[in-house]
Amino acid sequence: MAHETTIPLLPCRSLDDVAPFYRALGFQVGYRQARPNPYLALHREDLHLHFFGMPEFDPATSYGSCLVLVDDIVAIHRDFAAGMRAAYGKVLVSGVPRMTRPRVRKNQDGHTGFSIVDPGGNWIRFVARGTPSVADEPTGRLARTLENAVVQADSRGDHRQAARILDAALSRPDAADDPVVHVEALVYRAELALVLDEPAAARELLERAGTVPLSEDGRERLADTLRHAADLAATTD
């Protein structure tokens, strides 16, 4: 057999919560019904997501999840971020719904990935196809700690544990740490602070990130991270 298609069927409390969020990300409604059971079919090019409504459902307890393999993970994340800015005035980085940014995942064989947590509490996990570059493998204590923190928070949803291990590493600076990694770690820790509803801590961490001396090459390598830091700063206002 060949040409099979699998479409995830995910829970939500209300279709009226899910539909506007996904439309902001560029999805279209292919089908919707209210009775006998609430049902919604969404698609964005070849990506299909279907939802069923459960009025008593609690998104905080959701185990709904699916994996989406993409050729250009940077482009799809950029499109989603632009859609969020247009619909909500900012990229949603905390609460439900929210979106993480593309990062290398140790527990996915070094592939780059990001996640969307939708209004139903479902984790839509985007992963880049292809073979990761050996050059992307982390070196240094802080880099390895950051990698582990990403696994804890972005993959397992344990943001507090990720914050703990990053705090421990950031409290013991090493002269050998790459300044670029230092900024990445501080910005990621600020993102975790926002998810944990600690905006004052997020502001302080972003201020620290802004004081790290960087070369011109370092700033170029951090271009996406610095844009993300600006999105985080707008959220703390």
Side-chain angles (χ1 to χ4, degrees):
M1 296 177 66
H3 307 297
E4 295 86 351
T5 300
T6 299
I7 298 175
L9 183 55
L10 301 166
C12 64
R13 179 179 295 165
S14 169
L15 303 184
D16 289 332
D17 294 335
V18 169
F21 173 75
Y22 279 101
R23 281 201 298 266
L25 301 186
F27 284 76
Q28 296 178 335
V29 176
Y31 176 78
R32 179 169 180 165
Q33 71 174 33
R35 294 181 179 83
N37 302 301
Y39 193 89
L40 175 69
L42 297 166
H43 64 92
R44 184 183 188 275
E45 297 180 346
D46 294 328
L47 172 55
H48 294 257
L49 299 174
H50 290 196
F51 296 86
F52 59 94
M54 299 173 61
E56 303 304 318
F57 180 73
D58 181 4
T61 65
S62 177
Y63 286 92
S65 184
C66 73
L67 197 63
V68 183
L69 303 181
V70 297
D71 293 324
D72 192 338
I73 199 160
V74 173
I76 195 168
H77 183 272
R78 186 186 301 121
D79 288 349
F80 288 162
M84 285 185 179
R85 289 190 185 98
Y88 304 104
K90 61 183 178 181
V91 177
L92 304 177
V93 296
S94 63
V96 177
R98 66 179 182 273
M99 179 173 70
T100 66
R101 62 180 290 242
R103 295 185 177 93
V104 173
R105 303 292 179 85
K106 175 183 177 181
N107 60 331
Q108 292 176 343
D109 297 325
H111 287 84
T112 299
F114 73 92
S115 297
I116 285 175
V117 182
D118 72 17
N122 304 295
W123 286 64
I124 315 301
R125 305 171 189 269
F126 292 81
V127 179
R129 283 195 183 96
T131 303
S133 170
V134 175
D136 291 337
E137 293 182 359
T139 58
R141 179 181 58 83
L142 184 57
R144 290 191 296 272
T145 301
L146 177 59
E147 183 184 59
N148 290 332
V150 169
V151 172
Q152 291 296 328
D154 286 12
S155 293
R156 298 176 182 168
D158 193 344
H159 301 92
R160 199 159 294 282
Q161 176 61 13
R164 287 193 196 99
I165 63 176
L166 266 184
D167 284 342
L170 289 167
S171 68
R172 300 191 304 272
D174 187 330
D177 286 334
D178 185 346
V180 168
V181 175
H182 191 188
V183 172
E184 288 276 13
L186 287 166
V187 172
Y188 187 50
R189 181 61 183 87
E191 180 180 322
L192 294 174
L194 287 173
V195 174
L196 295 169
D197 196 23
E198 300 169 349
R203 284 192 295 271
E204 189 269 334
L205 288 156
L206 292 172
E207 289 171 3
R208 284 173 60 188
T211 65
V212 177
L214 293 170
S215 65
E216 233 7 82
D217 175 67
R219 289 194 174 278
E220 288 181 11
R221 289 163 58 194
L222 282 168
D224 287 340
T225 300
L226 296 177
R227 280 192 289 270
H228 182 59
D231 286 333
L232 296 178
T235 302
T236 65
D237 293 337

